[in-house]
Amino acid sequence: MGTTDSLAGYLRARARWRLDRVQRRDGGWNARCALALLDAAAYVATLPDDDPLIIALEEAGCFGPYGYGDFEPGKGVAKLIDFWHDGEPWELLTAIPSAARGDTVPSAGHTR
């Protein structure tokens, strides 16, 4: 499995998790998150493994120490992904390396 396949699969799994959540009066929050993650997964699936956005994720350690493993986000990246609900897919991918380093990621409306 390539890096883009692994990342797209992770994003689809988190979208399914959002769709399965039942929260009264969430105002469509879980649905918006799920749609944004599905959009990001579809975008990632079109990228080659040597795309600069993917290479930045490898360099941030999101695919293991040598960039050869499955997508394994740390706590900060997982939180960023789980609360992503709007914005372009490339914006999510651009924010992940900062979150992986533990930097403060500007919310710009992307986290709740």
Side-chain angles (χ1 to χ4, degrees):
M1 176 183 294
T3 53
T4 55
D5 293 333
S6 176
L7 175 56
Y10 180 87
L11 294 171
R12 282 190 299 270
R14 299 315 292 167
R16 280 191 300 275
W17 170 76
R18 276 285 177 198
L19 287 173
D20 288 342
R21 290 180 58 94
V22 177
Q23 292 176 302
R24 295 178 60 129
R25 297 172 224 201
D26 77 351
W29 170 255
N30 285 308
R32 281 193 304 280
C33 290
L35 288 173
L37 291 175
L38 290 172
D39 187 32
Y43 175 76
V44 166
T46 69
L47 299 176
D49 284 340
D50 63 351
D51 185 277
L53 291 170
I54 301 301
I55 291 173
L57 299 182
E58 289 174 356
E59 291 172 352
C62 295
F63 295 97
Y66 302 106
Y68 296 113
D70 287 333
F71 182 76
E72 294 285 336
K75 186 177 180 180
V77 173
K79 182 177 180 180
L80 172 69
I81 290 170
D82 283 349
F83 288 94
W84 187 261
H85 67 281
D86 66 359
E88 296 297 322
W90 65 266
E91 292 176 298
L92 172 59
L93 298 183
T94 302
I96 288 174
S98 293
R101 288 189 299 270
D103 297 344
T104 301
V105 178
S107 67
H110 300 299
T111 59
R112 189 174 197 194

